[in-house]
Amino acid sequence: DAKTTQPTSMDCAEGRAANLPCNHSTISGNEYVYWYRQIHSQGPQYIIHGLKNNETNEMASLIITEDRKSSTLILPHATLRDTAVYYCIVRVNDYKLSFGAGTTVTVRA
Amino acid sequence: DAGITQSPRYKITETGRQVTLMCHQTWSHSYMFWYRQDLGHGLRLIYYSAAADITDKGEVPDGYVVSRSKTENFPLTLESATRSQTSVYFCASNTGTEAFFGQGTRLTVV
């Protein structure tokens, strides 16, 4: 699996967009970028995934650079309930996910 | 309700005792997983199962046993609990594009 690098933490103002970066410079052509989040004391929750095209769902948008060496998860209108640890994972498939330290996102009122 | 259910949510046990953590999914996902989460280590894979009667070790399998006689159930057994197994345990099932996690079992070994 490709290694990912995320900032340790970041703050975001409520109502503003939160942009979470992830570097994955060693990503292979058949590896997807997955994002999960873990709200305190709960199990991780799937957010979104993509291969090379930008993706959007009801929770977030995923922007992958053309060279696929980095990506950004965008929470368009952050709320206090979005405070969580966000994990960027690169894998061929969603099985046997390996979670790193992630980014601790704190949304402030 | 559809989903993945873990039981118990909280458990205190004594060193040396056998304890079983239960996991049940209401779908028919082939893959199921057990993770543990400790401060400073994040989520680590203990065991996983690709289908009924097929299981394999993850990153930290020592001291644990799993079985999968039915697709919907994936119990995790600590054969002789140790204090180092105090942790939060998460069960998950997976469609291949999305993993679903249970609410976790907080296990304390005293």
Side-chain angles (χ1 to χ4, degrees), chain B residues 50-68:
Chain B
D53 298 322
I54 300 175
T55 62
D56 208 347
K57 296 178 180 178
E59 182 184 353
V60 287
D62 293 343
Y64 303 95
V65 174
V66 293
S67 62
R68 189 135 179 241

Side-chain angles (χ1 to χ4, degrees), chain A residues 36 38 43-44 94-97, chain B residues 31 35 37 94 96 98-99 101:
Chain A
Y36 281 76
Q38 187 173 23
D94 201 33
Y95 301 127
K96 291 178 63 179
L97 294 168
Chain B
Y31 276 83
Y35 290 86
Q37 186 168 33
N94 196 309
E98 183 174 349
F101 285 80

Side-chain angles (χ1 to χ4, degrees), chain B residues 18-88:
Chain B
Q18 182 181 85
V19 60
T20 296
L21 310 184
M22 304 301 293
C23 179
H24 173 79
Q25 57 152 325
T26 57
W27 308 288
S28 296
H29 296 160
S30 294
Y31 276 83
M32 295 189 75
F33 306 82
W34 275 105
Y35 290 86
R36 62 177 289 176
Q37 186 168 33
D38 309 289
L39 283 174
H41 287 283
L43 282 148
R44 292 182 291 175
L45 182 64
I46 305 171
Y47 267 97
Y48 67 100
S49 169
D53 298 322
I54 300 175
T55 62
D56 208 347
K57 296 178 180 178
E59 182 184 353
V60 287
D62 293 343
Y64 303 95
V65 174
V66 293
S67 62
R68 189 135 179 241
S69 58
K70 294 183 178 181
T71 300
E72 61 267 28
N73 296 323
F74 190 39
L76 175 74
T77 298
L78 287 67
E79 294 184 297
S80 178
T82 66
R83 289 197 178 93
S84 65
Q85 293 177 308
T86 292
S87 187
V88 179

Side-chain angles (χ1 to χ4, degrees), chain A residues 16-37:
Chain A
R16 304 294 292 271
N19 298 303
L20 283 64
C22 180
N23 288 322
H24 31 78
S25 58
T26 60
I27 191 170
S28 300
N30 62 344
E31 288 183 310
Y32 288 78
V33 179
Y34 292 89
W35 283 86
Y36 281 76
R37 73 179 183 183

